[in-house]
Amino acid sequence: MMRIQILFILESLFTVAAFSQQAYFADGYHGGIYGHYPLWHTQFMIDQLDEHPDWKIHLEIEPETWDSVKSITPEVYARLKKIAADPRIEFTNPTYAQPYCFNISGESIIRQFEYGIRKIRQHFPDVKYYTYSSEEPCFTSALPQLLRSFGFLYVVLKNPDTCWGGYTKGIGNGLICWEGPDGTDIETAPRYTCEAFENHSTWQTAAWNNSGEYLRACFDAGIRNPVGMCYQDVGWKNGPWIGFGENIRNRSIYITWKDYFSNIVSEETAERYKLSQEDIQVSLMWGSQVLQRIAQQVRHAENVIVRAEKILSMASVEKNTSFPDSLLDEAWRTLMLAQHHDSWIVPYNRLKKYRTWADEIALWTANTDQISEHIIQTSINNNTADNNQSRGNYLKIYNTQPQPRTEIISVEISDKFASKQINLIDCKGKIWETAIQTRENGTYLTAQVSVPAFGYTTLRMEEKPKQKNKTQILSSNECIMENDSYLIVFDLSQGGNIKSLIAKKSGNKEFVDTAHLHGFNEISGFFYEKQRRISNREQPARASVLEDNLFRKQIRIESMIDESPCIQTITLNHSQEQIDFDLQIHWKNNPKIGEFHQTNWRDNRRAFYDDRFKLNVLFPLALNNQKIYKDAPFDVCESRLENTFYNTWDSIKNNIIVHWVDVVQQDSSYGMALLSDHTSSYSHGADFPLGLTLQYSGVGLWGMNYAITAPLHVKYALIPHRGKWDKAGIGTKSNEWNEPLIISFQESGATCERSFLQFDRRGYELTALKSEGGDLLLRIFNQENDGQPLTIQFGFPVLKCEEITLNGERLNTDISLQKNNSITVAIPRFGIKTLRLLR
């Protein structure tokens, strides 16, 4: 013990003698009632602050925690409430459930802040927010504009003591001015370029404890006032993390981030830096079945809840329909909990005696789905009954996107129509032909319909004589799908891989690289117990026609991956650019898939990093000098990666697909977009084709066995196109894919057609439209437009339009409402704008 104290003092004296600069340290606590929060900890924090007057802390506590603290320990809660606005305490991450941010939608991030700040305000109304900082890598490139709009002044891009899921790239040696994708900037304390990884650790950087080695590196790099950081897990009993009084490590000074920015480094010049999403170097257990299901459940809930808000806004305008605010609040609450970072990185940890995070997420997202569907159905039908049970003779079709859509629909109808033909007739008397298809699970009507922007159309079903459809011709080795857009040839002798994909509307461009080692749409991975790569190309496949009519071509390809059956359903819709794939693998047992069998999960070298060895669906493309673009929350990233491959913790790359990834030729003449139904990872390199990660099975983080326990089921789509992603409208097409038309049966067609609002140009996303206190709140994201002003035509009376910040503050100038009931707004590329419509 004496030797340790002497070494500590010598290190401190050496550091101070060698350098005249002053070091600072940001201490605090991270956790919450869902992550970890023993209720004695509130009293412990208060006592430690009383005992150490020079100590300062940051609180990154799940806001809902304070409900429990107030209920169970009211006296301690009252003491904390008195000191919550003390300058020694700073609240730095008020999000409701501390999401990673990089893996969810931009609208979800906004709601995380909105609901979290609201909850904290209920308990501590005097608390103000200055700095966003997190113990985990809870970052995404678009944070500057979001934080600024919520009133934040500063950001910290360090997470030195909890890098299990990754870290940010070292950027500069001092403050930076972080520029977001829309041009908004914010003063930022980055992970310094000189901030190395901690020796003998696979979860820390050197800034976690202000060691002499870390400070020497900072001083050598010219950093006058370096800062370290550690947000301790709630429940740790250390008190001041690096000592107190005369024993503070290297005579560091505890400081809040607000004081550090506003007083210590306020005179420093911050280097401007446009942060790329790939500078956020993060990785989770991509491909593991448990995480895949979580990502799918969260994506579905994200999609359905914003659709519910949009449908309710239509009903509030048209029929004055309303629901208690508490209902949607609860739907958002359970979705936000499912987005908790622990949901994604420790899904097997137990929250309750019998349920894991993964179990809870299934329940939480099911609750969000149930409430949202109830709101949709009630808003459409003005009652709580399931309207589809009545099967009326009218179809009412809703479009929640701000542009008109002409698409193929397919809806189950009564079996009495199985032997008949039906026309759909709109309110103008136009006849829309249909096709009737009897399948294993019922009778379906397929048709092409047009629906106005952000509104609905009503179509009357009318019987007519049955007509026959032709059937595709299949050979034993080949299957051909063809419609007005594509000619696709499947090689059944090679597992049903695609050997030709010609895009007719793109100059008959062939998109398959037939000379590549891998097949197109091949399913392949390294089965390490068998020590070889296994592919579905190894066994022949068989094809069957599910639907073949003017509107839709759909086939089923059945193949094998080793001993496990694969079933793919491929769909082509008339005049639609995406090719839809529905993949199921009915696993036999639990095959081990990955690079190797991991024995020590803490090793720097890890089996679950290199996605080339996981099960992938692969797409070798006939595109020269390929470049990658990929979406991120309120951003699109042009990849700077030479390839996506890494296999050690200290070399993580950001190879995440949130909604889509797009591969284009160097000259941007042609491209192919891949859409995914869940956040995952993708693979790509000079000698490896674009691949979507499907499955990993083996040891993962914290030594857990990430096993295969059920069939795999994923959906993805391909969009061949001309030009770059923005000119091809990939973001808009992804939005439409995630928000399909809503179809409802009606007994009558009272109101035939209506558009509640319409954007005059594509490229702008309507991320939210919701009722709020009798008004409507509308949010727009400019994803693809180069900056031409957007005109919004309203289909209902609007008295006034105000622009507001994300924290609800009204900006100085109102937006002029034109005589024709429209407004025009200017939004920079990747910018968002929130409007309040007074009715």
Side-chain angles (χ1 to χ4, degrees):
M1 180 68 178
M2 180 64 71
R3 181 173 180 273
I4 293 173
Q5 288 178 337
I6 291 171
L7 288 174
F8 185 84
I9 293 169
L10 286 174
E11 181 192 45
S12 181
L13 290 173
F14 173 79
T15 302
V16 175
F19 307 103
S20 59
Q21 296 98 323
Q22 177 62 56
Y24 295 87
F25 194 79
D27 205 348
Y29 289 100
H30 158 91
I33 203 68
Y34 291 96
H36 37 79
Y37 196 96
L39 289 170
W40 56 260
H41 191 85
T42 313
Q43 183 68 60
F44 174 78
M45 289 191 298
I46 295 170
D47 292 344
Q48 290 292 307
L49 284 166
D50 288 343
E51 186 177 343
H52 306 294
D54 294 332
W55 191 40
K56 298 175 182 178
I57 62 170
H58 302 85
L59 294 182
E60 188 199 11
I61 307 298
E62 298 157 14
E64 200 174 307
T65 302
W66 307 121
D67 292 343
S68 298
V69 173
K70 179 181 181 180
S71 174
I72 300 171
T73 58
E75 293 181 1
V76 178
Y77 169 83
R79 287 190 63 194
L80 179 62
K81 189 166 185 175
K82 288 181 180 179
I83 65 170
D86 187 299
R88 294 189 300 155
I89 300 174
E90 185 176 358
F91 287 70
T92 61
N93 180 1
T95 54
Y96 200 89
Q98 301 169 358
Y100 276 125
C101 295
F102 58 76
N103 57 331
I104 59 178
S105 72
E107 187 60 33
S108 287
I109 297 171
I110 290 174
R111 304 305 178 96
Q112 286 277 354
F113 278 98
E114 178 186 320
Y115 279 98
I117 290 171
R118 182 191 304 176
K119 174 60 72 175
I120 292 175
R121 188 178 294 126
Q122 291 173 4
H123 292 282
F124 312 116
D126 296 328
V127 164
K128 293 181 171 55
Y129 304 97
Y130 302 97
T131 313
Y132 176 77
S133 178
S134 172
E135 185 205 26
E136 299 265 355
C138 299
F139 310 122
T140 196
S141 58
L143 276 178
Q145 71 167 325
L146 304 185
L147 293 171
R148 284 291 200 188
S149 195
F150 276 111
F152 286 79
L153 301 176
Y154 316 112
V155 181
V156 178
L157 280 174
K158 297 175 181 285
N159 59 300
D161 194 43
T162 312
C163 301
W164 303 106
Y167 37 78
T168 57
K169 173 186 174 182
I171 305 168
N173 288 312
L175 294 184
I176 63 169
C177 184
W178 173 5
E179 181 184 345
D182 71 316
T184 302
D185 57 40
I186 192 166
E187 201 167 353
T188 303
R191 175 188 162 209
Y192 305 134
T193 301
C194 65
E195 185 181 325
F197 297 116
E198 181 72 357
N199 293 328
H200 312 299
S201 172
T202 52
W203 68 91
Q204 294 164 305
T205 74
W208 74 287
N209 66 354
N210 269 19
S211 66
E213 183 178 1
Y214 167 62
L215 296 180
R216 279 191 292 272
C218 291
F219 293 148
D220 286 345
I223 304 173
R224 293 179 56 194
N225 301 112
V227 60
M229 168 189 173
C230 179
Y231 284 6
Q232 305 174 54
D233 276 3
V234 170
W236 291 3
K237 299 181 179 181
N238 301 280
W241 181 245
I242 57 170
F244 51 86
E246 294 298 317
N247 295 318
I248 296 178
R249 193 168 203 185
N250 293 319
R251 299 188 183 176
S252 302
I253 296 176
Y254 289 109
I255 197 166
T256 63
W257 286 117
K258 174 183 177 293
D259 285 346
Y260 181 76
F261 282 104
S262 61
N263 296 323
I264 305 304
V265 294
S266 58
E267 301 300 318
E268 291 187 12
T269 300
E271 173 190 354
R272 194 171 187 85
Y273 186 84
K274 193 172 183 67
L275 185 124
S276 164
Q277 189 74 352
E278 290 181 344
D279 292 331
I280 301 165
Q281 297 169 287
V282 285
S283 178
L284 298 173
M285 291 298 303
W286 306 123
S288 65
Q289 196 164 79
V290 63
L291 184 56
Q292 188 175 79
R293 286 183 176 176
I294 288 169
Q296 288 174 322
Q297 290 161 352
V298 168
R299 174 65 54 75
H300 184 272
E302 283 182 327
N303 290 340
V304 73
I305 194 169
V306 296
R307 294 167 78 202
E309 288 182 334
K310 291 175 180 179
I311 292 293
L312 178 57
S313 72
M314 296 182 199
S316 71
V317 168
E318 188 168 59
K319 298 178 288 189
N320 204 29
T321 302
S322 64
F323 286 89
D325 291 342
S326 58
L327 193 63
L328 268 170
D329 290 346
E330 175 60 14
W332 273 107
R333 172 184 168 271
T334 50
L335 170 57
M336 291 186 296
L337 291 175
Q339 295 167 335
H340 194 294
H341 65 271
D342 279 343
S343 296
W344 293 65
I345 197 167
V346 286
Y348 288 125
N349 281 12
R350 294 193 178 276
L351 273 78
K352 298 181 180 180
K353 186 175 180 181
Y354 301 108
R355 292 205 294 266
T356 64
W357 275 101
D359 297 331
E360 293 290 347
I361 291 161
L363 296 173
W364 284 331
T365 52
N367 180 67
T368 301
D369 293 344
Q370 183 178 14
I371 292 173
S372 300
E373 291 292 353
H374 169 70
I375 289 172
I376 289 171
Q377 292 304 322
T378 304
S379 298
I380 288 174
N381 301 290
N382 211 23
N383 60 56
T384 57
D386 178 0
N387 77 96
N388 281 343
Q389 297 302 315
S390 63
R391 301 292 183 194
N393 289 328
Y394 290 83
L395 291 180
K396 198 169 188 179
I397 305 169
Y398 284 80
N399 172 18
T400 55
Q401 293 295 300
Q403 299 91 15
R405 294 163 73 175
T406 298
E407 294 184 9
I408 303 301
I409 62 166
S410 183
V411 60
E412 186 179 2
I413 58 176
S414 172
D415 289 339
K416 69 181 181 181
F417 294 113
S419 60
K420 300 175 181 178
Q421 184 68 32
I422 294 175
N423 280 337
L424 297 177
I425 304 174
D426 67 19
C427 56
K428 299 172 185 176
K430 181 176 179 178
I431 297 175
W432 300 85
E433 292 189 357
T434 72
I436 305 299
Q437 186 81 25
T438 301
R439 304 179 193 166
E440 297 171 353
N441 59 343
T443 301
Y444 286 80
L445 177 150
T446 303
Q448 184 178 58
V449 299
S450 291
V451 189
F454 200 76
Y456 61 81
T457 190
T458 308
L459 303 172
R460 177 166 53 89
M461 299 169 61
E462 184 179 86
E463 294 181 20
K464 73 170 193 173
K466 175 80 172 175
Q467 295 178 352
K468 292 184 178 181
N469 293 314
K470 66 177 183 178
T471 303
Q472 290 176 318
I473 300 173
L474 305 176
S475 72
S476 59
N477 292 323
E478 239 180 40
C479 171
I480 299 174
M481 289 185 81
E482 184 175 10
N483 72 350
D484 61 319
S485 300
Y486 300 108
L487 173 62
I488 305 176
V489 181
F490 297 85
D491 188 343
L492 300 181
S493 68
Q494 296 283 313
N497 288 186
I498 294 173
K499 68 178 185 180
S500 177
L501 195 167
I502 293 174
K504 296 180 179 179
K505 296 180 180 179
S506 295
N508 287 321
K509 164 69 177 174
E510 171 63 75
F511 276 88
V512 175
D513 181 359
T514 56
H516 201 282
L517 173 67
H518 291 287
F520 194 96
N521 205 42
E522 173 185 353
I523 300 165
S524 172
F526 189 76
F527 289 58
Y528 60 79
E529 285 185 329
K530 298 189 176 183
Q531 279 300 294
R532 73 180 187 91
R533 180 173 290 277
I534 297 177
S535 166
N536 70 335
R537 297 176 75 188
E538 297 174 9
Q539 302 180 55
R542 62 177 181 174
S544 55
V545 177
L546 301 181
E547 191 165 355
D548 180 20
N549 52 60
L550 173 64
F551 311 107
R552 172 169 290 176
K553 313 290 185 181
Q554 189 176 77
I555 66 168
R556 176 186 294 147
I557 301 284
E558 297 175 79
S559 63
M560 299 287 289
I561 179 82
D562 197 26
E563 302 173 304
S564 302
C566 300
I567 301 174
Q568 273 202 317
T569 302
I570 301 97
T571 304
L572 296 180
N573 287 319
H574 180 77
S575 295
Q576 288 180 217
E577 295 178 61
Q578 84 266 9
I579 306 166
D580 289 310
F581 295 81
D582 183 304
L583 170 64
Q584 297 180 55
I585 301 179
H586 296 272
W587 292 110
K588 184 176 180 181
N589 302 319
N590 174 29
K592 303 299 184 182
I593 308 172
E595 187 177 6
F596 59 90
H597 174 66
Q598 187 90 40
T599 54
N600 183 357
W601 70 273
R602 290 175 181 263
D603 286 347
N604 191 38
R605 181 87 154 80
R606 295 177 178 175
F608 48 87
Y609 277 156
D610 195 334
D611 291 331
R612 287 175 295 183
F613 293 88
K614 299 174 184 177
L615 194 75
N616 286 271
V617 56
L618 301 171
F619 309 101
L621 293 161
L623 300 172
N624 300 323
N625 303 314
Q626 297 175 6
K627 294 196 301 184
I628 291 278
Y629 295 88
K630 51 193 172 184
D631 88 310
F634 294 132
D635 191 12
V636 173
C637 171
E638 179 178 357
S639 180
R640 300 180 300 205
L641 299 176
E642 200 172 301
N643 57 61
T644 61
F645 316 132
Y646 63 94
N647 53 31
T648 59
W649 170 81
D650 57 10
S651 64
I652 291 174
K653 298 178 183 180
N654 187 315
N655 63 331
I656 297 172
I657 174 172
V658 182
H659 294 93
W660 56 266
V661 61
D662 190 36
V663 181
V664 296
Q665 286 193 165
Q666 182 86 38
D667 63 2
S668 298
S669 55
Y670 294 102
M672 174 81 81
L674 166 66
L675 279 55
S676 171
D677 72 346
H678 66 289
T679 299
S680 186
S681 61
Y682 72 94
S683 297
H684 186 263
D687 58 351
F688 196 85
L690 174 67
L692 176 65
T693 303
L694 294 176
Q695 206 84 96
Y696 169 80
S697 176
V699 173
L701 290 169
W702 285 276
M704 296 300 298
N705 178 25
Y706 282 78
I708 295 171
T709 60
L712 174 145
H713 188 191
V714 299
K715 295 180 181 180
Y716 57 94
L718 297 175
I719 305 178
H721 61 85
R722 288 184 185 268
K724 216 170 75 169
W725 65 272
D726 48 357
K727 302 303 180 186
I730 298 303
T732 298
K733 292 178 175 66
S734 173
N735 296 335
E736 293 173 347
W737 194 68
N738 281 281
E739 290 191 33
L741 299 172
I742 298 172
I743 305 170
S744 169
F745 284 93
Q746 303 282 317
E747 292 296 335
S748 68
T751 305
C752 187
E753 184 173 280
R754 184 168 184 180
S755 173
F756 295 87
L757 66 81
Q758 181 169 343
F759 291 0
D760 74 330
R761 60 183 75 249
R762 295 174 72 85
Y764 288 91
E765 177 184 354
L766 180 65
T767 69
L769 181 55
K770 62 173 183 171
S771 301
E772 188 174 273
D775 301 326
L776 292 176
L777 211 64
L778 179 152
R779 190 152 32 247
I780 311 160
F781 168 51
N782 179 2
Q783 186 172 20
E784 297 166 346
N785 196 276
D786 285 329
Q788 299 98 322
L790 169 69
T791 296
I792 306 173
Q793 180 68 57
F794 298 111
F796 56 92
V798 176
L799 299 178
K800 191 177 182 181
C801 180
E802 302 172 344
E803 183 178 357
I804 61 173
T805 62
L806 291 177
N807 60 9
E809 294 179 3
R810 179 184 168 190
L811 296 178
N812 292 330
T813 56
D814 291 336
I815 295 175
S816 177
L817 188 66
Q818 303 301 313
K819 290 182 179 180
N820 66 348
N821 203 32
S822 69
I823 61 171
T824 299
V825 294
I827 308 174
R829 175 71 75 95
F830 303 131
I832 63 169
K833 194 177 286 286
T834 306
L835 307 177
R836 178 181 285 123
L837 306 178
L838 285 71
R839 299 191 289 128

